[in-house]
Amino acid sequence: MDSLLIKGSVPLRGEVTISGAKNAVLPIMAATLLTTEPCVIRRVPRLSDVQFMGQILTWLGAQVRSEGDTLRIQARKIQGAGDYDLIRKMRGSICVMGPLLGRLKQASVSLPGGCVIGARPINLHLKGFEALGARVTIEGGYVHARAKRLAGATMFLGGRAGSTVLGTANVMMAAVLAEGVTIIESAACEPEIVDLARFLTAMGAQISGAGSPTLTITGVKQLHGAEHEVIPDRIEAATYAIAAAATHGEVTLRGARAEHLRAVLDKLADAGVGIERRGADLTIRRPGRLKPVDITTLPYAGFPTDVQAQMMALMALTPGISIITERIFESRFMHVSELARLGADIEIEGPSAIVKGGKPLSGAPVMASDLRASAALVIAGLAARGTTQINRIYHLDRGYENIDGKLRQLGARIERIEES
Ligand code: EPU
């Protein structure tokens, strides 16, 4: 398995272009299953998760062609059952279920298991399908949903931790071809949901309220092909912003959408990071010593759980105590023990991590456990003295396009060691 070797203490300087958003492109790719006509998706990041989704769509019968950062997908004839092993590999693939149910009125996919960040149930997805009239059963590790017809309904999709992103996406994709009006209350408000709604609207769907907790979908008979450009990845942008701050650097994020990053930029500003917005670009600079800040992760527009680990790395480098509370996933603190190997002083107390920052970090061999934990280790390694080796970086390749190349362009001394 590949690893990354980072020689730390080098300030990042320069410009980095933000890629298309992983968590927007995955459901948008799935949405192409809703029409027999060709769809074109632009600004697609080159990620292993995108490749997986391409394989799943191909397995279901779609034609998927990739040229540079453009994907052309046509799902002329498809089947309703997803390959067990392919779907199990990536949790995001659950979002083929809504479009399959919408178009074929039946869908069978392997039940995604939990993962290192928590249990990750899909009860809310299934609740939504049932509200639309589907019969849902679980058998032999598969979840089957079947309906004679789908009928619009009013439903509440809030759960223990608030709204569900992929649950909202899934039910929205089934509802666009249901008869009548569907109202989803407590819908996820994430920009990725708004982007999916834009794509579906371009395909002929009737959706209002995207970006608010009440989504209204008026079913149509059929959808047509469409072209779409994916939004920039707000989590990738946040990760490079935090890396710039952690290394005392100055980095311009090209094409970052500041309006999607308010909670993160607000916390960075509170910590003393300099932020300058010029058109679609953001320049992040570290003027001097930072202050600790407390953070609680929440659904959008709150502080994103997908930036919690990276912010913890920054707080570990910042003198003083900060309390970071994780409210979305119950065990998303896998990075804590690995940050400790670099010298960070962090204690976990229930859903909170108490970060006693400012201890000098020094390089060590560490293990990536999930995507964002890996990003936190990269940030800590870039700031630490000496050499950090990050093993099992396939997690990073799931969600960060060319991360070592982009960091090298910013002056980082980072090398990928390929294991044969
Ligand atoms: N939940 C339920 N029941 C459900 C669905 C979710 O109880 O049926 C709970 C979850 O257990 C969690 C909370 O609701 O406590 C929120 O989970 P959500 O459904 O919103 O997560 P997701 O849609 O499965 C997406 C992203 C994640 C990101 C979360 C939260 C994709 C492919 N994944 O997951 O991204 O952390 O939303 O913003 O869009 C990542 O990119 O590293 C990543 C994990």
Side-chain angles (χ1 to χ4, degrees), residues 22-23 26 91-92 117 120-125 160-161 163-166 190 305-306 328-329 332 371-372:
K22 166 179 86 81
N23 291 346
L26 295 176
R91 220 201 106 87
I117 66 175
R120 309 198 74 180
I122 57 161
N123 59 309
L124 297 170
H125 303 226
R160 187 182 54 79
S163 50
T164 161
V165 179
L166 288 176
E190 271 69 4
T305 172
D306 290 345
I328 307 293
F329 292 111
R332 205 173 199 181
L371 174 55
R372 309 304 172 187

Side-chain angles (χ1 to χ4, degrees), residues 136-401:
V136 175
T137 52
I138 294 173
E139 254 181 74
Y142 276 83
V143 50
H144 307 280
R146 223 174 281 270
K148 282 213 175 65
R149 55 183 278 267
L150 293 178
T154 297
M155 62 187 84
F156 178 81
L157 282 194
R160 187 182 54 79
S163 50
T164 161
V165 179
L166 288 176
T168 301
N170 238 342
V171 176
M172 174 160 69
M173 288 190 281
V176 288
L177 291 179
E179 292 166 33
V181 178
T182 296
I183 297 174
I184 304 178
E185 295 286 7
S186 195
C189 303
E190 271 69 4
E192 292 75 17
I193 293 292
V194 178
D195 209 32
L196 173 64
R198 272 180 48 227
F199 179 56
L200 291 169
T201 303
M203 294 172 83
Q206 287 186 21
I207 301 171
S208 65
S212 82
T214 306
L215 261 179
T216 304
I217 301 145
T218 305
V220 296
K221 285 234 153 29
Q222 62 181 34
L223 296 181
H224 51 74
E227 285 201 27
H228 184 76
E229 185 174 279
V230 176
I231 51 168
D233 196 313
R234 63 194 170 100
I235 309 299
E236 188 198 29
T239 302
Y240 284 105
I242 294 171
T247 58
H248 295 256
E250 179 169 337
V251 171
T252 296
L253 311 170
R254 287 242 176 269
R257 295 265 290 264
E259 68 271 26
H260 294 167
L261 283 162
R262 288 218 170 91
V264 174
L265 297 178
D266 188 63
K267 282 293 171 190
L268 287 175
D270 284 354
V273 176
I275 299 160
E276 195 185 315
R277 184 175 174 175
R278 216 173 308 121
D281 299 340
L282 273 176
T283 298
I284 308 293
R285 99 175 36 91
R286 162 92 176 250
R289 202 176 150 122
L290 297 186
K291 295 188 295 269
V293 286
D294 294 340
I295 288 157
T296 300
T297 65
L298 289 168
Y300 194 80
F303 193 92
T305 172
D306 290 345
V307 187
Q308 178 256 107
Q310 300 90 312
M311 202 65 179
M312 194 181 296
L314 182 64
M315 288 300 106
L317 292 155
T318 303
I321 293 182
S322 65
I323 297 177
I324 299 184
T325 304
E326 174 58 54
R327 291 270 177 231
I328 307 293
F329 292 111
E330 70 266 31
S331 48
R332 205 173 199 181
F333 281 141
M334 302 294 287
H335 40 286
V336 169
S337 54
E338 297 304 301
L339 288 171
R341 286 184 205 277
L342 301 178
D345 186 352
I346 305 167
E347 250 174 72
I348 299 175
E349 282 273 340
S352 298
I354 300 159
V355 187
K356 295 171 197 157
K359 308 255 157 61
L361 300 193
S362 59
V366 288
M367 189 79 88
S369 57
D370 74 83
L371 174 55
R372 309 304 172 187
S374 314
L377 294 174
V378 170
I379 291 169
L382 289 168
R385 271 184 292 111
T387 303
T388 296
Q389 176 158 1
I390 307 180
N391 296 312
R392 294 218 304 216
I393 54 156
Y394 60 88
H395 290 292
L396 278 171
D397 295 330
R398 287 188 36 223
Y400 288 94
E401 184 173 52

